Amino acid sequence: MLVRMNEDAFWALIDELSRRTEDLEERTEWLRAELLRRPAAESVEFQVRLDDACEVAGTRALWRAADRIESGACSDDGFHYFTLWLVGQGRKVYDAVVADPDALADVPGVRALVGRHRNEWDDDEWPEWEGLDYVAQDAYDELTGQEDDLGEEFDDAVDERAEELADELQGDFEGEWEEGGGPRGSRPEGVAIPRLTALFPLGASGS
């Protein structure tokens, strides 16, 4: 019987990833190596649960918080990469920030940016992690010998598994984005972020 990666196992792997001290590229490669040690179905399961965690985090309130940190430079794609970065901080940080976006003021990686122009941020300091979205596909393709199919088999497997888990996973798969761009969510747009506002006053790190 195939034992699939459940939510707790997903977060255990993410928590181990979050404790590593290498740069993002090395941490991403570590995760890829971990997935390569497992059946290909585990890479599919990882991606499904990663997608769901990002969907749950994709609220307008959290977008406002990310945009405040990035001084108005957080695009639609950038916000997706931000939610990936948030997942990569581990379950405790993720849960706290999803519950209250102002909790980002307590995250060391955010506090390290305070008082610095964003042009001075190193690539690894940006609160975005695009590469986390591709690591499971890379592992799956290598395990199944599908490197030349542009991820089509992996995408199909993820979609199929997501449908199977739809009733069990947090959130839903209808998407968190309103027509015309920008996330929607149960938290109102006007949720206060007083600590982030104090740490990142308008214009302080902008262009």
Side-chain angles (χ1 to χ4, degrees):
M1 179 179 177
L2 177 63
V3 178
R4 294 184 181 270
M5 181 185 294
N6 62 22
E7 186 176 3
D8 287 341
F10 166 79
W11 281 111
L13 186 57
I14 289 292
D15 284 343
E16 188 171 355
L17 176 68
S18 73
R19 290 190 291 267
R20 303 191 68 83
T21 58
E22 304 97 333
D23 63 31
L24 286 186
E25 183 176 353
E26 291 171 322
R27 291 166 65 195
T28 302
E29 181 56 34
W30 174 87
L31 177 59
R32 178 178 173 275
E34 286 297 305
L35 290 173
L36 283 172
R37 297 188 180 100
R38 307 173 183 223
E42 293 286 270
S43 292
V44 172
E45 200 81 11
F46 178 92
Q47 188 67 45
V48 170
R49 297 191 182 277
L50 177 63
D51 289 345
D52 184 66
C54 289
E55 291 282 354
V56 171
T59 64
R60 185 175 294 279
L62 190 53
W63 191 19
R64 287 183 61 246
D67 200 48
R68 167 67 68 162
I69 294 169
E70 297 187 9
S71 194
C74 189
S75 64
D76 290 359
D77 286 344
F79 181 58
H80 177 58
Y81 305 151
F82 177 86
T83 62
L84 289 162
W85 171 87
L86 178 60
V87 172
Q89 303 310 296
R91 192 172 198 172
K92 183 177 179 180
V93 171
Y94 171 88
D95 286 345
V97 170
V98 168
D100 177 11
D102 207 30
L104 283 163
D106 298 322
V107 178
V110 171
R111 297 192 69 88
L113 304 176
V114 174
R116 299 167 55 202
H117 193 287
R118 65 173 183 262
N119 288 346
E120 299 174 354
W121 301 354
D122 292 336
D123 289 344
D124 274 1
E125 290 185 300
W126 275 86
E128 297 179 1
W129 196 345
E130 181 181 1
L132 189 58
D133 213 15
Y134 308 128
V135 62
Q137 179 186 323
D138 288 347
Y140 180 91
D141 288 349
E142 182 169 340
L143 288 166
T144 60
Q146 299 295 325
E147 291 94 338
D148 297 328
D149 79 340
L150 301 178
E152 292 182 7
E153 180 177 310
F154 177 75
D155 290 342
D156 289 345
V158 168
D159 289 344
E160 180 179 352
R161 184 57 181 154
E163 291 178 5
E164 294 174 359
L165 286 173
D167 292 335
E168 303 173 22
L169 296 177
Q170 303 176 42
D172 59 56
F173 290 88
E174 295 177 359
E176 292 283 343
W177 298 86
E178 294 177 337
E179 185 176 355
R184 68 174 187 268
S186 58
R187 295 179 62 88
E189 183 176 359
V191 168
I193 48 173
R195 292 188 294 156
L196 281 178
T197 299
L199 290 174
F200 298 94
L202 288 176
S205 60
S207 57

